[in-house]
């Protein structure tokens, strides 16, 4: 596996694509399994490593996810993403109502400063990331 790609415990892959999007593909088909604090820490370390300290759009592909997230895992993930300052935006790709609700609840309860969007189409999600990246790389200058 290259330096620009990491696989964690057969249930998560992280990589930077050619356009600079940090992609996180999570796979969990066990409905009883929760994302815990230890796993959240591993995910954050992978994102920190792959971002190389540069703010990037983060795309979470949750289409193969069932289950939920523990309170401790959610707190750790939310704090970590805020403190690392590596995300210009978070984009979630979902294909189930339950995971859509889970993401919305997570973002509402563990409010982060990072803008986010939820899509059910991967290409639209990537387009959103690229638009955010373009705006972040070349912010519109305010006229005085």
């Amino acid at each position: 596996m290259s330096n620009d790609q990491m696989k964690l415990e057969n249930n998560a892959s992280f990589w930077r694509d050619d356009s600079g999007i940090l992609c996180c593909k999570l796979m969990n088909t066990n409905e009883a399994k929760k994302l815990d604090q230890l796993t959240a820490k591993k995910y954050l370390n992978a994102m920190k490593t792959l971002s190389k300290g540069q703010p990037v759009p983060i795309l979470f592909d949750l289409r193969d996810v069932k289950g939920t997230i523990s309170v401790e895992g959610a707190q750790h993930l939310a704090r970590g993403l805020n403190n690392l300052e590596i995300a210009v935006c978070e984009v979630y790709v979902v294909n189930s109502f339950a995971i859509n609700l889970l993401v919305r609840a997570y973002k509402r309860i563990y409010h982060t400063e990072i803008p986010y969007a939820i899509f059910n189409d991967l290409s639209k999600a990537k387009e959103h990331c690229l638009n955010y990246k373009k705006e972040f790389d070349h912010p519109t200058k305010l006229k005085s």
Side-chain angles (χ1 to χ4, degrees):
M1 199 146 288
S2 75
N3 290 341
D4 292 335
Q5 186 174 6
M6 301 174 83
K7 189 168 186 168
L8 302 174
E9 301 176 7
N10 296 323
N11 64 354
S13 294
F14 297 82
W15 70 95
R16 290 253 323 245
D17 72 7
D18 293 336
S19 63
I21 299 170
L22 177 55
C23 301
C24 309
K25 172 73 174 160
L26 306 180
M27 299 148 289
N28 172 31
T29 56
N30 181 351
E31 291 181 10
K33 186 173 181 182
K34 291 184 178 186
L35 190 146
D36 59 20
Q37 186 174 359
L38 179 61
T39 304
K41 185 176 183 177
K42 290 177 184 178
Y43 290 0
L44 287 167
N45 286 337
M47 288 185 267
K48 181 180 177 183
T49 299
L50 292 172
S51 73
K52 299 176 183 168
Q54 301 171 341
V56 293
I58 301 178
L59 188 148
F60 293 96
D61 185 346
L62 305 178
R63 293 176 294 171
D64 294 326
V65 170
K66 292 182 171 52
T68 188
I69 186 168
S70 72
V71 170
E72 296 82 11
Q75 288 172 338
H76 193 79
L77 195 59
R79 264 195 317 270
L81 284 169
N82 275 340
N83 292 337
L84 288 176
E85 297 180 351
I86 59 170
V88 296
C89 69
E90 296 173 15
V91 175
Y92 298 87
V93 182
V94 302
N95 63 355
S96 76
F97 184 67
I99 298 301
N100 188 318
L101 284 177
L102 180 67
V103 170
R104 289 179 188 281
Y106 162 75
K107 293 302 288 181
R108 187 183 77 249
I109 295 167
Y110 305 100
H111 179 69
T112 64
E113 303 292 324
I114 304 165
Y116 78 99
I118 301 172
F119 293 90
N120 59 9
D121 180 272
L122 184 60
S123 61
K124 288 181 182 176
K126 285 185 177 186
E127 184 179 321
H128 185 81
C129 286
L130 292 175
N131 287 337
Y132 247 95
K133 185 178 183 318
K134 190 183 316 176
E135 182 62 31
F136 188 82
D137 290 344
H138 307 286
T140 306
K141 296 186 179 183
L142 298 175
K143 296 179 182 177
S144 15

